[in-house]
Amino acid sequence: MTGRTPSKDQQARRSRLVEAARELALEGGYAAVTMHDVADRAEAGRATVYRYFASKDHLLIEVAAVWARETTADLDARAVGGTPVERLAELLERIVEVAAAERTLTSAIIQAVTSSDPAVDPERTELFLFVRDRLATAIGEPLLERDDVELVLGHLLLSALVSLTALGRPAEEVRTMVRTAARLMVGRAAVSGP
């Protein structure tokens, strides 16, 4: 795509492609998402898919970005109450809960996000920054070494989703892990803070 603002038709076409990829990933995981099948599902030509997305991983990272925004959308409105640990635990547990309900999709997203394809680095970085922003919003208060805490929590979240999908760990175990991490990371950073 060029640097121009896409028209409403282009935005709608792109959204259909993302939704088609999401449906395919929900049905059959990473292997089920092919550019050909996405084009068929979205009733578009294959060239259209490649006009918007350079690769399958690029497309799935966009699916991940939409999924992340939907999963965390209503938490911002509730982020005013509770302690930083409670807000962070709620955010992390929500992500695990949604991921557990859609394990096949989550697995496909994890495979794309951890891809070695350097062409998806800008989209992957944008997704990681979005997640980090959600973590910062949940924490809400100044912490000692806040940047390091947010970075480690982001990696912990990725590890939690890998545990849930690739390792098949029970959702309750993974929820407990992220809740404990929130308490240990943010609780200690707040106590040690200025």
Side-chain angles (χ1 to χ4, degrees):
M1 292 273 318
T2 63
R4 294 179 296 174
T5 302
S7 70
K8 286 184 182 181
D9 286 344
Q10 289 170 323
Q11 290 172 2
R13 193 174 304 118
R14 190 175 196 280
S15 293
R16 280 196 312 275
L17 295 171
V18 170
E19 185 56 32
R22 182 180 185 152
E23 290 169 3
L24 289 165
L26 272 167
E27 293 167 9
Y30 186 82
V33 181
T34 67
M35 300 304 246
H36 175 78
D37 289 339
V38 168
D40 286 351
R41 177 75 56 107
E43 297 180 355
R46 273 184 272 177
T48 301
V49 181
Y50 284 104
R51 185 177 307 126
Y52 292 94
F53 303 100
S55 68
K56 168 179 166 169
D57 290 333
H58 180 197
L59 177 55
L60 282 169
I61 289 173
E62 182 60 29
V63 169
V66 170
W67 181 87
R69 286 191 298 272
E70 290 173 358
T71 301
T72 63
D74 70 327
L75 290 176
D76 284 344
R78 300 189 320 225
V80 293
T83 67
V85 170
E86 290 167 341
R87 291 188 305 265
L88 179 62
E90 181 181 4
L91 170 66
L92 294 171
E93 288 182 68
R94 162 67 70 80
I95 293 169
V96 169
E97 179 183 305
V98 173
E102 301 175 337
R103 283 182 197 242
T104 309
L105 172 62
T106 305
S107 179
I109 287 170
I110 295 300
Q111 285 182 267
V113 166
T114 58
S115 161
S116 61
D117 180 3
V120 299
D121 283 345
E123 290 78 16
R124 182 178 15 232
T125 299
E126 188 175 325
L127 175 62
F128 287 159
L129 290 174
F130 174 82
V131 171
R132 193 167 172 181
D133 180 64
R134 299 281 61 81
L135 294 169
T137 299
I139 295 168
E141 296 180 10
L143 297 177
L144 185 65
E145 300 176 328
R146 183 187 187 107
D147 288 344
D148 292 337
V149 169
E150 291 169 6
L151 183 64
V152 169
L153 285 170
H155 285 283
L156 171 94
L157 179 58
L158 179 60
S159 176
L161 296 178
V162 168
S163 294
L164 187 68
T165 58
L167 302 179
R169 304 307 307 157
E172 185 52 41
E173 177 184 308
V174 178
R175 276 195 299 273
T176 299
M177 177 177 60
V178 297
R179 188 178 325 116
T180 300
R183 181 177 48 80
L184 292 174
M185 294 287 301
V186 175
R188 289 206 175 137
V191 169
S192 304

